[in-house]
């Protein structure tokens, strides 16, 4: 049995001044040596990372949002999956709580050294649980202080991934768990803004409806409103190695992202 241990903190956190928390569960790239030594050469490049999102959303600091930023790669443990590993999209291809394959459907562990139940429990305890404890604590603080708590779960993905969807993905994929995780009025405001993004496409609750974070923490009837945005990486970066940030592309989409975040804050101000 492999023993999992990490010395890297499971997250970075910056407290804001507004009722909004932005979560970045898939931006982490750290893989402890006890895992990295077992990975394929491809997997060590952590290609399925949500690259550069903290940089893309840098404007949100000035808007007063709190920021929760993952440090570990999703190959260690996926923070947007339920702790029991249940499928978020039954009947569709998905990657697991502790993935064993890449988005391109290639094996992560070349010699079959996949994590067993005991190792997955260690990863949950050291990485998953602290991240979610901080997420829950901050949402409770925001709700207590402001009377409402807003959660924006920020994601990105390659625009073409045959394993998960046909053709090229819509650029801006808003997810509210089919309307269960946030006020429908807010969702429609966000969709209208996203649909107005010049040169980009948008959809609400299409292929990506929100993962565990959106579904678990969104309780609009109690004043907790959660929205996921899954956006195409082609909107702001190069999608192949070395996965470079493209400031010219980012500058085209950032105004829309800022409008979306501002709409979240305006909604809270009207409560």
């Amino acid at each position: 049995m492999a023993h999992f241990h990490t010395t890297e903190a499971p997250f970075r956190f910056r407290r804001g001044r507004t009722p909004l928390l932005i979560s970045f569960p898939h931006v982490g790239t750290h893989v402890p040596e006890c895992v990295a030594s077992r990975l394929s050469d491809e997997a060590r490049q952590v290609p399925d990372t949500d690259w550069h999102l903290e940089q893309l959303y840098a404007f949100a600091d000035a808007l007063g949002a709190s920021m929760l930023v993952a440090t570990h790669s999703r190959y260690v443990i996926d923070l947007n999956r339920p702790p029991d590993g249940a499928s978020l999209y039954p009947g569709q291809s998905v990657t697991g709580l502790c993935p064993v394959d890449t988005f391109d459907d290639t094996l992560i562990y070349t010699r079959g050294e996949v994590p067993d139940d005991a190792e997955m429990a260690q990863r949950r305890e050291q990485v998953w649980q602290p991240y979610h404890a901080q997420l829950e604590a901050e949402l409770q603080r925001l709700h207590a202080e402001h009377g409402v708590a807003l959660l924006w779960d920020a994601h990105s993905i390659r625009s073409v991934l045959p394993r998960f969807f046909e053709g090229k993905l819509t650029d801006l994929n808003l997810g509210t768990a089919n309307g269960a995780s946030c006020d429908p009025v807010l969702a429609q405001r966000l969709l209208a803004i996203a649909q107005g993004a010049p040169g980009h496409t948008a959809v609400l609750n299409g292929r990506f409806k929100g993962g565990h974070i959106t579904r678990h923490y969104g309780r609009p009837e109690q004043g907790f409103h959660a929205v996921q945005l899954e956006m195409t990486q082609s909107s702001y970066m190069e999608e192949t190695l070395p996965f470079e940030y493209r400031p010219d592309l980012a500058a085209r989409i950032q105004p829309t992202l800022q409008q979306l975040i501002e709409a979240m804050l305006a909604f809270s101000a009207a409560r």
Side-chain angles (χ1 to χ4, degrees):
M1 182 195 80
H3 179 77
F4 178 81
H5 177 68
T6 182
T7 57
E8 184 88 1
F11 59 82
R12 298 191 307 275
F13 175 70
R14 300 193 296 280
R15 178 178 289 185
R17 62 180 188 278
T18 69
L20 176 65
L21 170 62
I22 302 179
S23 165
F24 299 94
H26 289 155
V27 301
T29 58
H30 180 66
V31 181
E33 182 56 31
C34 59
V35 177
S37 62
R38 295 143 59 193
L39 299 185
S40 69
D41 290 342
E42 177 193 6
R44 290 183 193 182
Q45 303 289 334
V46 290
D48 301 328
T49 301
D50 293 9
W51 300 101
H52 310 300
L53 284 186
E54 203 176 357
Q55 183 176 358
L56 188 68
Y57 280 86
F59 63 83
D61 277 311
L63 296 178
S66 295
M67 303 279 198
L68 181 60
V69 184
T71 55
H72 288 66
S73 169
R74 70 190 304 155
Y75 289 169
V76 175
I77 194 163
D78 193 326
L79 299 170
N80 202 28
R81 297 290 183 273
D84 63 359
S87 177
L88 294 171
Y89 295 95
Q92 294 179 286
S93 181
V94 294
T95 51
L97 177 66
C98 293
V100 296
D101 46 21
T102 71
F103 287 177
D104 289 327
D105 223 0
T106 61
L107 294 178
I108 290 174
Y109 297 89
T110 51
R111 297 186 299 275
E113 299 174 279
V114 300
D116 59 15
D117 289 346
E119 184 183 356
M120 286 195 284
Q122 292 168 344
R123 297 187 191 190
R124 262 197 310 270
E125 180 181 353
Q126 295 179 48
V127 182
W128 194 99
Q129 289 174 353
Y131 188 91
H132 282 268
Q134 181 65 34
L135 182 48
E136 175 69 28
E138 180 62 5
L139 290 176
Q140 292 296 337
R141 184 191 73 82
L142 294 175
H143 192 273
E145 186 170 319
H146 301 280
V148 63
L150 306 172
L151 174 60
W152 184 268
D153 207 41
H155 295 261
S156 70
I157 194 168
R158 273 180 284 160
S159 60
V160 178
L161 274 172
R163 176 179 176 181
F164 300 134
F165 48 81
E166 294 181 3
K168 184 180 184 297
L169 184 67
T170 303
D171 292 313
L172 301 171
N173 300 267
L174 292 162
T176 63
N178 283 331
S181 70
C182 88
D183 187 296
V185 173
L186 173 58
Q188 289 303 315
R189 287 180 191 168
L190 297 171
L191 177 60
I193 292 169
Q195 288 177 330
H200 295 79
T201 53
V203 68
L204 174 63
N205 292 315
R207 171 61 180 86
F208 295 97
K209 306 176 189 298
H212 173 71
I213 289 172
T214 305
R215 303 180 196 196
H216 180 74
Y217 294 101
R219 301 186 297 276
E221 69 284 353
Q222 299 174 31
F224 295 85
H225 302 271
V227 178
Q228 175 179 292
L229 177 63
E230 181 79 77
M231 63 183 299
T232 53
Q233 292 180 338
S234 58
S235 298
Y236 70 95
M237 60 171 276
E238 295 290 347
E239 294 189 329
T240 55
L241 278 168
F243 306 117
E244 291 183 353
Y245 188 70
R246 286 279 303 277
D248 57 323
L249 296 179
R252 298 177 194 169
I253 196 61
Q254 279 175 314
T256 298
L257 295 178
Q258 182 159 338
Q259 290 171 36
L260 290 166
I261 297 304
E262 288 173 343
M264 293 281 284
L265 295 172
F267 174 82
S268 69
R271 291 296 88 190

